[in-house]
Amino acid sequence: IQFKFSEVLATVIGTKSAASRTPLSWTLSYPVSVGRYEVRVRRTNTKGGLTDSRVMDDFRWVGLKGILTTNPQLQDVTLIYARIVATDTISGQASQKLNAVVKRKLPILVDGVWKSPALTNYQNPIWAIADMIKATYGGDYQDTVLDLAELEALAYYTESRADTFNYCFSEKISLFEAITIASQTIRVTCINRWNKFRFVRDEPKSIVKALFTPSNIKKGTLSVDYILPSPTDYQQIRAEFFNEVGWKWDTIEISNGKINPELPFLEVRFEGITNKTQVIREAKYRLNISRYRRKIVSFETSTEGFIPNYLDQVRISHPIVSWSSHGQIVSITPVSTTHHDILLDRDITYTASAYTLGTQIGGLDTGDVITGTKSGTRTIRVTIADYAKLFPTPSKILYTGSPNPT
């Protein structure tokens, strides 16, 4: 048997002789300088058994293994060494038999300043995600790619809900895949926008980020679809999770009402959630999504579509029916002691002398329905008394032009 390491190293020749009815195996060791090598092997003698079928004379190279003479220098990680007796029962799953209950020490944000790693809030998924992004064994990014205020606020909100994340990454995956595993335990989605990692949680929003009207909705693109209930809709979930009580896989059945064995279960495996209370909460969240989110609104717009972020709240004001005309208020001008003119941003097709008027701000009705009269191609005239009914809270009216006459 002849081994050759490279073109610059000497060839190593080894000889073994034996005869047996069972396969024979040897491990040959050769010292070399530290480095990376390409190794090839060839047989130097003539294969036996070419003329006698009773002779088995095959040679097979099983594998090549290199052994470091120094201990690996890994930073910011904990290493566990184990010695296993080499027997025929060892399989590729031997490494999965070694388990440990550990607590991670991660830096946390306090008033915008990173504190030294400590066993504080070590189960908070937000600090785990931040470590994935910043650590040298992760994304190796700087703070400039993070919104620290957003991150800290989300971390303390997560802590107030007692949400946790416990998971073992046993194989190499991408950074975004790792972040997704952690963020989905708290209903958070990670998006990369303008070279920054943003984290948005699926929850009710109090601030409206954008208003879409016929002025900025492409004509003919608005559609409203409804998902009707179906007998095949899942109403209960069978959840599998790694229970922190005993640290083993457990199963629980969840429903918004009483469990009905006759109905089908949606099988869900919650990775990273080890708390039973959190599993029940997240399972009901998924059931409620299927139950209540049945109205889908879609439309096309221009650059206004870049204003809201993912999961931001927007409002839509659009006349679905065709019997009305509409427009945004540009200005409100007093024309006499008894009347005001309301100027719109578009022409209105007049077919009568008097019209019924209603207003909305952010898609919500603002006051009573009144009657107005034609004053111009874009102008409607209303009385001061009716104007007060139309805008009961004038301080909230947003428009450009002359000051609010009331």
Side-chain angles (χ1 to χ4, degrees), residues 28 52 131 304:
L28 307 178
D52 191 348
D131 186 66
E304 291 90 343

Side-chain angles (χ1 to χ4, degrees), residues 61-137:
W61 185 16
V62 177
L64 176 70
K65 179 172 66 174
I67 300 176
L68 296 177
T69 57
T70 58
N71 294 327
Q73 300 297 322
L74 302 177
Q75 298 179 354
D76 302 327
V77 297
T78 301
L79 299 179
I80 299 177
Y81 292 92
R83 299 182 65 180
I84 303 176
V85 178
T87 64
D88 294 338
T89 59
I90 292 181
S91 65
Q93 299 296 321
S95 61
Q96 303 296 327
K97 303 296 183 181
L98 178 63
N99 300 301
V101 179
V102 299
K103 297 180 179 180
R104 52 181 181 256
K105 294 177 65 176
L106 302 176
I108 65 173
L109 271 174
V110 179
D111 296 330
V113 179
W114 289 104
K115 298 298 182 180
S116 300
L119 292 175
T120 305
N121 302 328
Y122 63 91
Q123 295 187 92
N124 194 316
I126 296 300
W127 304 136
I129 293 172
D131 186 66
M132 296 175 193
I133 297 173
K134 289 169 54 65
T136 55
Y137 48 79

Side-chain angles (χ1 to χ4, degrees), residues 318-326 348 356:
H318 195 289
I320 301 297
V321 294
S322 59
W323 49 260
S324 64
S325 296
H326 52 83
I348 296 178
T356 301

Side-chain angles (χ1 to χ4, degrees), residues 200-218:
V200 290
R201 190 173 187 275
D202 189 3
E203 60 185 354
K205 302 295 193 300
S206 59
I207 300 177
V208 179
K209 292 296 184 68
L211 172 64
F212 293 95
T213 68
S215 298
N216 51 18
I217 294 177
K218 185 178 178 180

Side-chain angles (χ1 to χ4, degrees), residues 3-4 47 108 128 149 175 183 202 224 226 254-256 261 263 296 298 317 328-329 354 359 371 373:
F3 289 91
K4 195 168 186 179
K47 179 180 178 180
I108 65 173
L175 175 61
S183 62
D202 189 3
V224 181
Y226 295 88
I254 303 106
S255 174
N256 281 324
L263 296 177
I296 302 174
S298 62
S317 177
Q328 288 183 307
I329 296 177
T359 57
T371 300
T373 59

